[in-house]
Amino acid sequence: MATRAPDRLAAVPPNRPVGPRRRLRRHLVHQLDVKGSPYAYVAPFFLLFSAFGLFPLAYTAWVSLHEWTLLQDEHPFVGLENFRTLLADDYFWNATFNTLSIGVLSTAPQLLLAIWLAHLLNRPLRAQTFFRITLLLPNVTSVVAVVVIFSQLFGRDFGMINWVFSLVGVDGVAWNEGVLSSHFAISTMIMWRWTGYNALIFLAAMQAVPRELYEAATIDGASGMTQLRKITIPMIKPTIIFVVITSTIGAMQILAEPLLFSSYIITGGVDRQYQTLSLFIYENFTKLDFGYASAISWMMFVFIVVVAGINYLLTRRGKGGLA
Amino acid sequence: MSAHTAVAAARRSGSAARRLTYLTLTAVAFFSMLPLYYSIVVASRDNAALADVPPPLIPGGNFFANVARVFDTVPFALAMLNSVIVSGSVALAVMFFSTLAGFAFAKLRFRGRNALLLLTVATMMVPTQLGIIPLYMLMVKLEWTGTMYALIVPALVNAFGVFFMTQYLSRALPTELLEAGRVDGCSTWGLFWHVVLPAARPAAAVLGMLTFMSVWNDYFWPLVVLTPEDPTVQVALSTLASGYVNDYVLGLAGTTLGTLPLVIVFALLGKQIIGGIMQGAVKG
């Protein structure tokens, strides 16, 4: 770390003897500097967050209580009418199902795989850096690139995956037509992009676990798998909870993958096979029906809080042990 | 038999497991690189080659012809310039403001510090997409739609950056150094400028690179707020991917072109970036 004091410090002039008046003023300025300046330093973040994070959030709630389209000048207050319509809207429940389905299909296997990969990397290995860099490579690739590439791989007639299937005598799948097959394809894209990133987060936590625990377990004859289950996982539980929550929030907001996978059909497949909640919001946004879109946004927020809360309780209870 | 020899014995018997580890990690590395490799293969051929059975597995000679088509179809040069401007200015601003706030949270005493820090972390949990509609209406009011201001201003500082620099500075910046600066008559701002900024450089650089990459790859908000005539790279790519559905070669030539700069930077600096991610992650 750069702990060496920079040379420029020496250029600061030393305190000169001054009269009592100036000393008082200097004291006040100093007090103001010490007491007040910290607030000035953290202010940019809070100002920007209020303007572009908090205000939109509150305003969305306000808009959701109105019949609010960009085509009209009047925005009549309708109370909870948008929410009532929403709860009776089959498309909304379809989007909710798709979001949950893709979320579970992508998140659950991904986190198990990430923990396992981190476990493999958490010992002295040759080419550590190489393996870590390749793990993160998918995360550097943009969503657009990922979906374009995978759409080609998942192509029905000329895709690489169906070609591999044909080698073992399995018929090609029309990946973007079925509900389950499209959910599987989209989940694969999400997994490909995020597994390595999460593995590195887990690895960071694992490296903070005391080595002696593993040495003692090795002497007792515990296998690698047992050590993973009985030592590693309980010890990194806070990180697991953190990753589960952030993955849940991410999964509830999936948008780019289904949008691009359907070649930009805004309904997520011709029969809405993979229209997610975010895509449903976007659909109503492009219809300029801002009141309805805002209502969906707030329902999504409620879902996120509920699902994240359930996951929090499950991860807390599920893996007892040392922690 | 001592504990040490027992451990050594266990290590020797683990050599089969060790081989399996290398095999697995190599397979993962292979699959991580495969899609990018495949996009290069397709981007360097023509559309007819896609119908070949088996599919083409090595690059062909059409890459530059396809890249030329990308430049003819979408304003790609402008998109690159826009992306560099937006990502660069956001990265610089995030580095500066996060270091500033991180310094205050890590090293200065003030009333409400812990509450404010907690609030900062809590804001990371608010889903960004939720505010897209009012944010868009705000941009319409400010007449920023279609301009790069809409991308730059809301992104100038973020909670992750503040938290990241707080973590780093509270560990890496010795308080004695700051006290020494005070004794020499430095104001708080002087301390920040002459002591904190130099000390923060390694972490700030990592934060800058992470920010640059995520802004470069940002997709949804630019899509909503920009026009196809004045896009960023991702918006231009989505035009390619959407408007020319059956022209996969064009789409993949574009994505290769838009992704390669980042991949090259990442290949060169990956070690530091990964170190930074892991450093920021420990506290989870």
Side-chain angles (χ1 to χ4, degrees), chain B residues 160-249:
Chain B
F160 171 76
V162 173
F163 184 60
F164 184 83
M165 291 312 297
T166 305
Q167 290 266 87
Y168 179 79
L169 288 175
S170 60
R171 257 177 300 141
L173 179 66
T175 309
E176 298 78 43
L177 204 59
L178 295 171
E179 283 163 359
R182 280 258 188 248
V183 171
D184 286 348
C186 253
S187 68
T188 318
W189 178 255
L191 285 179
F192 174 71
W193 200 249
H194 296 299
V195 183
V196 179
L197 269 188
R201 213 175 282 158
V206 169
L207 178 63
M209 282 184 285
L210 285 175
T211 310
F212 188 93
M213 286 200 267
S214 75
V215 176
W216 183 277
N217 284 335
D218 197 8
Y219 169 69
F220 183 47
W221 177 236
L223 179 73
V224 167
V225 86
L226 294 184
T227 60
E229 293 78 45
D230 194 8
T232 58
V233 169
Q234 303 310 325
V235 177
L237 291 183
S238 77
T239 315
L240 276 186
S242 62
Y244 303 87
V245 176
N246 293 313
D247 201 340
Y248 281 120
V249 168

